Amino acid sequence: MFAIEARKLGYRVHTFSPESDTPTGQIADIETSAAYDDLLAVRTFAQSVDVVTFEFENVPASAVDAAAEFVDVFPRGEILHTTQHRLREKLFLSKNGFPVTPFRHITSLDELENGVSELGRPCVLKTAGFGYDGKGQAKIESDTNLTGAFAGLNGADAVLEAFVPFSKEVSVVCARDQSGNFVNYGVIENQHANHILDISFAPAIVSHDVFAEAVEIARSIAETLDYVGTLCVEFFLTSDDRLLVNELAPRPHNSGHLTFDACVTSQFEQQLRAVCGLPLGSTEFYRPAAMANLLGDIWQTGEPDWAAALSTKNTKLHLYGKLEPRIGRKMGHLTAMADSNEAAASLAAEARRRL
Ligand code: AMP
């Protein structure tokens, strides 16, 4: 989606990833397929472009540093280093006074036992690196055996978090340019199924104060990081209206996909504008909107009935061109627009049911 926006503005795109025929590669002018730790390939790539950005945060810091020898990389490698590791991210947030759920660093069974007695059950054990969509996560319930839970980490560093009995999950997708200008898409409400984002809609159903506070926290995080590009801040909202930052995504985010159809400037175009030194665009929504994710699961009974979903009014279909529809894999999404956020959410869900 970033490459589509770049092509719309007349840019040529060169993509680098370990795979070939990727969704971006299908749209880019040039697709380099090489491992991220193939630093010769990274340096050759970096010398062929004017600026580098990423839309996947698990790129090793060594690759970003190698690219940065030749060309600007936005967001900066240091931000990637912080946000690709839950412990570093949580330490950054708590040190700078941003609200997070209490957490402990876990490297041994002893630390896990102490952490669980301090934070109480239930709590959530997460590997520190390479986690998304609930991968590398285990909930510690009243009867969970800690030896087994620790063994499940397979020696990986972990973070133990107090469980948040949240009333809802929301996010702020925002962008900051090279001069420090900031724009945002307000607060988006997110519903998950099996730890994977299922439906997002905008605007979120939250109080005026919560809305303003969430946007201010996102602005302040972007400023503290001296961020350039599109950033998503994911929050838990408790029943007494307290916001806790769950995690940061240093890139366009799934909850902002609806901006592609519903806003004057999409989150992908903002990323492009920010990294290319252009002014940021308007984040105005044409109408309240919702997005329903399409996972590989829906192929289980054969090819989905695309025509049925496309016949739903005010609904747009996006398929990413991923070759293999695996269970739990994000293959595309539907965006729906309506007179209210709730109507848009039911329209998106209805279009998906019709598939
Ligand atoms: P994450 O990969 O950390 O975003 O976690 C995926 C999802 O798991 C979140 O969106 C929540 O629905 C749930 N989750 C993660 N951490 C917690 C927590 N500390 N308390 C309650 N639910 C959580």
Side-chain angles (χ1 to χ4, degrees):
M1 287 176 271
F2 173 84
I4 290 170
E5 294 291 37
R7 296 297 296 261
K8 272 164 65 180
L9 274 179
Y11 285 95
R12 315 285 305 258
V13 180
H14 185 166
T15 180
F16 184 110
S17 92
E19 283 110 47
S20 55
D21 197 16
T22 58
T24 319
Q26 292 162 17
I27 286 151
D29 296 273
I30 307 175
E31 178 177 47
T32 296
S33 304
Y36 292 126
D37 58 7
D38 180 348
L39 298 185
L40 178 63
V42 172
R43 290 191 173 99
T44 308
F45 162 77
Q47 287 170 81
S48 77
V49 298
D50 296 306
V51 62
V52 170
T53 188
F54 42 84
E55 48 178 12
F56 169 69
E57 67 262 46
N58 290 323
V59 177
S62 57
V64 175
D65 292 346
E69 289 168 19
F70 300 96
V71 71
D72 281 338
V73 179
F74 295 121
R76 288 178 292 112
E78 193 190 324
I79 296 175
L80 189 70
H81 183 70
T82 303
T83 53
Q84 69 188 189
H85 189 270
R86 288 186 197 280
L87 181 69
R88 289 196 287 267
E89 181 174 285
K90 283 223 153 38
L91 288 171
F92 159 79
L93 291 166
S94 56
K95 270 191 202 145
N96 286 287
F98 297 110
V100 289
T101 187
F103 64 95
R104 298 287 183 277
H105 183 201
I106 305 297
T107 58
S108 67
L109 179 57
D110 256 12
E111 285 174 348
L112 179 61
E113 282 166 349
N114 290 336
V116 170
S117 60
E118 284 167 23
L119 299 180
R121 296 179 187 237
C123 50
V124 187
L125 185 63
K126 303 178 177 181
T127 51
F130 294 94
Y132 64 98
D133 288 349
K135 292 188 174 70
Q137 274 192 38
K139 192 168 172 190
I140 310 278
E141 308 269 13
S142 57
D143 57 351
T144 304
N145 174 289
L146 296 187
T147 312
F150 184 72
L153 294 172
N154 289 318
D157 246 33
V159 174
L160 183 72
E161 288 179 20
F163 183 79
V164 183
F166 55 81
S167 64
K168 57 179 67 178
E169 293 184 81
V170 297
S171 55
V172 173
V173 175
C174 56
R176 191 168 176 275
D177 71 13
Q178 294 172 32
S179 315
N181 296 306
F182 173 83
V183 295
N184 71 85
Y185 295 92
V187 183
I188 299 171
E189 185 159 336
N190 302 317
Q191 297 168 354
H192 292 77
N194 303 319
H195 295 283
I196 302 177
L197 184 63
D198 184 42
I199 299 233
S200 292
F201 63 82
I205 303 170
V206 294
S207 71
H208 193 267
D209 287 355
V210 165
F211 194 98
E213 192 191 341
V215 169
E216 174 50 25
I217 291 171
R219 191 203 58 74
S220 179
I221 289 173
E223 189 173 298
T224 309
L225 288 169
D226 191 19
Y227 196 90
V228 173
T230 294
L231 169 73
C232 176
V233 182
E234 293 180 66
F235 296 92
F236 297 127
L237 181 65
T238 63
S239 51
D240 57 350
D241 263 4
R242 274 185 317 123
L243 284 162
L244 297 167
V245 177
N246 173 27
E247 60 180 356
L248 308 179
R251 51 174 167 78
H253 185 254
N254 196 172
S255 64
H257 285 6
L258 49 78
T259 63
F260 206 16
D261 295 307
C263 296
V264 175
T265 315
S266 74
Q267 63 166 354
F268 307 98
E269 186 178 333
Q270 301 288 20
Q271 168 96 347
L272 177 81
R273 288 174 176 236
V275 306
C276 293
L278 301 169
L280 298 173
S282 160
T283 54
E284 193 179 327
F285 278 77
Y286 298 120
R287 296 179 80 189
M291 186 265 346
N293 264 334
L294 303 178
L295 303 184
D297 310 43
I298 59 172
W299 271 258
Q300 266 181 307
T301 47
E303 187 73 18
D305 185 354
W306 304 119
L310 287 168
S311 63
T312 311
K313 239 178 107 189
N314 295 325
T315 304
K316 302 285 281 187
L317 172 67
H318 296 256
L319 291 172
Y320 308 147
K322 292 184 182 176
L323 301 180
E324 199 193 329
R326 291 193 295 270
I327 302 283
R329 187 177 198 202
K330 291 170 180 167
M331 303 297 293
H333 69 268
L334 290 158
T335 315
M337 280 167 280
D339 291 339
S340 75
N341 43 10
E342 282 168 312
S346 28
L347 195 60
E350 171 57 24
R352 187 170 58 182
R353 266 192 299 276
R354 298 180 71 183
L355 285 171

